[in-house]
């Protein structure tokens, strides 16, 4: 029982996906062929390949090295806030929101501890930046990759949609930083020497680097339907076996299994006429789809929401906007938010009385931004 409880705490979304899939198999009893048909193997193959190639780049310290070099340029609190927030915002477009947070939140906690400043607010801003920046590209987060493939968006269509989130969110984040770091009783706090000028991080460049870059390019070409996903998958497996087979252990297989569970659950539910009619009524118009996607994301997270609702609507554009905007709000609206919460909560600052305010500060910023951005995206879409 203790092992089960520990598993639920560690992988709550995977546990929910397994339970729902089992319930569907027991009560709806879909045929084996339907279950097999439900699983989107192309999405799973791309997700697997991107995860492992990103782990490969991490093993060679690319992101850490870039961050260390850029941090030496920071001369004030304002420049530090801008740099860290933008690093997460732009890197999450390519390495996913959770990887961006896993990379930069520990660096942020180290820096702010060394310079004697509280890190709570900047970690919240980095979480916002990761969830918003990752909305922009198909490979930025799992739901984008899935919806891009499921609805067959062209690159132009996809980026035209995500620009409605990207541009306003960039402006909003910039405004927040300007307000937070405005001058109080003189010039903004200066940053002296310390870790910003002394941190050194070395990059490993060898024959593997070129294979990793080639693999990443092939992954991107597969996302945009230039290369067949089976060719990409075969190339990825061979590259990793030759270059670093230990990377296979670092892939988040729980995410892949979560997708499989929800694929089977949603496909099975679509065969139940009563439930299908109800969901269809909730998604009958583009506006209803947008609102339902946002609300559903608050309760079950935006990745499961995308998987669940996609099987019942042809309004793919509004579903895409809804689940991405819906990544803001509650702590579980995006699993990436849970990652930064755990990282901060386990830090030295997170265990202090001030650090325990994280949940309240996080929720305040997220709800405010959800309402503001939700309205802005709606206006840009319909006006």
């Amino acid at each position: 029982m203790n092992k089960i409880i520990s598993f639920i705490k560690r992988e709550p979304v995977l546990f929910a996906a397994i339970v729902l899939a089992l319930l569907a198999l027991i009560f709806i009893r879909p045929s084996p062929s339907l279950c097999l048909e439900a699983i989107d193997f192309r999405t799973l193959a791309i997700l697997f390949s991107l995860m492992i190639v990103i782990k490969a780049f991490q093993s060679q310290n690319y992101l850490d090295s870039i961050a260390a070099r850029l941090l030496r340029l920071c001369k004030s609190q304002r420049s530090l806030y801008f740099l860290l927030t933008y690093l997460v915002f732009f890197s999450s477009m390519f390495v996913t929101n959770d990887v961006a947070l896993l990379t930069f939140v520990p660096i942020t906690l180290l820096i702010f501890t060394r310079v004697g400043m509280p890190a709570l607010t900047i970690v919240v801003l980095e979480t916002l930046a990761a969830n918003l920046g990752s909305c922009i590209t198909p490979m930025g987060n799992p739901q984008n990759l899935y919806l891009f493939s499921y609805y067959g968006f062209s690159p132009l269509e996809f980026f035209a949609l995500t620009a409605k989130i990207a541009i306003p969110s960039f402006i909003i984040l910039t405004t927040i930083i300007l307000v937070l770091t405005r001058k109080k009783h003189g010039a903004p706090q200066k940053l002296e020497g310390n870790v910003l000028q002394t941190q050194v991080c070395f990059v490993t460049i060898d024959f593997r680097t070129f294979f990793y870059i080639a693999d990443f390019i092939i992954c991107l070409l597969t996302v945009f339907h230039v290369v067949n996903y089976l060719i990409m998958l075969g190339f990825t497996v061979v590259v990793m076996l030759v270059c670093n087979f230990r990377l296979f252990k670092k892939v988040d297989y729980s995410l892949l299994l979560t997708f499989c569970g929800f694929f089977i659950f949603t496909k099975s539910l679509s065969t139940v006429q009563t439930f299908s009619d109800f969901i269809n009524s909730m998604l009958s118009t583009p506006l209803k789809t947008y609102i339902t996607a946002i609300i559903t994301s608050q309760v079950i997270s935006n990745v499961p929401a995308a998987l669940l609702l996609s099987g019942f609507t042809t309004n793919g554009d509004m579903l895409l906007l809804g689940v991405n905007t819906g990544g803001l709000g509650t702590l579980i609206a995006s699993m990436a938010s849970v990652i930064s919460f755990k990282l901060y909560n386990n830090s030295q600052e997170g265990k202090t009385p001030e650090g325990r305010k994280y949940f309240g500060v996080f929720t305040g910023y997220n709800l405010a931004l959800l309402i503001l951005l939700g309205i802005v995206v709606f206006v840009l879409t319909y006006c």
Side-chain angles (χ1 to χ4, degrees):
M1 182 57 71
N2 288 334
K3 289 183 178 180
I4 294 175
I5 293 173
S6 176
F7 172 73
I8 295 172
K9 288 180 178 179
R10 189 174 67 254
E11 299 286 354
V13 180
L14 173 59
F15 177 76
I18 292 173
V19 169
L20 291 173
L22 288 175
L23 289 174
L25 291 173
I26 293 169
F27 294 104
I28 303 175
R29 297 182 181 178
S31 64
S33 60
L34 183 70
C35 293
L36 199 60
E37 178 190 332
I39 299 174
D40 187 341
F41 290 103
R42 181 179 183 275
T43 297
L44 294 179
I46 295 173
L47 195 55
F48 167 81
S49 296
L50 282 171
M51 283 194 292
I52 198 167
V53 76
I54 287 166
K55 290 295 182 183
F57 283 126
Q58 280 186 303
S59 71
Q60 296 193 314
N61 292 331
Y62 279 96
L63 288 178
D64 290 0
S65 177
I66 293 170
R69 292 173 186 273
L70 290 174
L71 286 170
R72 296 192 194 104
L73 303 175
C74 294
K75 303 299 182 184
S76 68
Q77 180 183 351
R78 173 168 287 179
S79 63
L80 183 59
Y81 266 64
F82 271 123
L83 179 61
L84 289 171
T85 303
Y86 287 167
L87 271 175
V88 175
F89 185 84
F90 288 106
S91 65
S92 66
M93 298 180 193
F94 305 100
V95 300
T96 73
N97 48 5
D98 54 348
V99 171
L101 290 172
L102 284 168
T103 300
F104 291 113
V105 169
I107 292 173
T108 299
L109 291 169
L110 171 66
I111 292 169
F112 275 68
T113 298
R114 295 282 184 87
V115 298
M117 296 192 307
L120 191 156
T121 304
I122 185 62
V123 172
V124 170
L125 286 179
E126 286 179 327
T127 307
L128 290 171
N131 287 326
L132 292 170
S134 66
C135 295
I136 299 168
T137 62
M139 71 289 298
N141 53 51
Q143 74 267 15
N144 274 11
L145 185 60
Y146 168 68
L147 293 174
F148 182 83
S149 176
Y150 184 84
Y151 287 104
F153 289 114
S154 70
L156 184 60
E157 289 172 331
F158 185 89
F159 289 118
L161 285 169
T162 57
K164 297 174 183 178
I165 297 176
I167 297 172
S169 61
F170 184 82
I171 295 171
I172 292 169
L173 285 172
T174 300
T175 303
I176 291 173
I177 294 172
L178 288 173
V179 171
L180 286 175
T181 58
R182 65 187 183 278
K183 292 184 179 181
K184 295 179 181 178
H185 309 296
Q189 182 178 348
K190 297 292 182 182
L191 299 175
E192 309 259 333
N194 239 311
V195 71
L196 301 184
Q197 283 72 39
T198 60
Q199 184 180 6
V200 178
C201 188
F202 297 99
V203 175
T204 302
I205 299 178
D206 53 27
F207 78 97
R208 294 174 296 181
T209 307
F210 302 101
F211 282 107
Y212 294 156
I213 293 172
D215 194 16
F216 185 66
I217 292 171
I218 289 175
C219 287
L220 295 184
L221 292 175
T222 305
V223 169
F224 294 111
H225 301 279
V226 177
V227 175
N228 183 278
Y229 80 92
L230 292 175
I231 295 174
M232 172 214 65
L233 182 61
F235 184 80
T236 299
V237 170
V238 171
V239 165
M240 298 309 162
L241 284 174
V242 171
C243 295
N244 189 352
F245 67 90
R246 293 182 181 84
L247 292 171
F248 285 103
K249 296 181 180 179
K250 298 185 177 182
V251 173
D252 186 1
Y253 293 104
S254 65
L255 180 59
L256 300 177
L257 290 174
T258 299
F259 266 71
C260 291
F262 278 110
F263 280 143
I264 293 171
F265 173 66
T266 55
K267 188 68 174 180
S268 300
L269 272 183
S270 67
T271 64
V272 179
Q273 194 60 46
T274 304
F275 182 82
S276 182
D277 291 343
F278 171 73
I279 294 294
N280 283 327
S281 69
M282 297 295 293
L283 306 171
S284 57
T285 67
L287 179 57
K288 283 185 177 181
T289 302
Y290 179 62
I291 294 173
T292 302
I294 291 176
I295 294 173
T296 306
S297 297
Q298 303 309 301
V299 181
I300 65 172
S301 183
N302 53 5
V303 174
L307 296 174
L308 174 64
L309 300 178
S310 61
F312 300 94
T313 181
T314 57
N315 294 316
D317 52 349
M318 297 311 295
L319 179 59
L320 176 70
L321 293 174
V323 294
N324 278 306
T325 305
L328 303 171
T330 63
L331 184 64
I332 63 169
S334 168
M335 285 298 103
S337 300
V338 178
I339 289 172
S340 58
F341 171 72
K342 287 181 178 179
L343 290 171
Y344 181 82
N345 206 40
N346 291 332
S347 69
Q348 185 177 351
E349 181 181 321
K351 294 178 173 62
T352 65
E354 279 298 309
R356 295 192 183 98
K357 296 179 182 178
Y358 182 92
F359 182 78
V361 174
F362 171 90
T363 303
Y365 272 93
N366 268 264
L367 288 178
L369 198 54
L370 173 63
I371 294 169
L372 177 59
L373 190 62
I375 294 172
V376 169
V377 171
F378 171 79
V379 171
L380 289 175
T381 302
Y382 284 96
C383 298

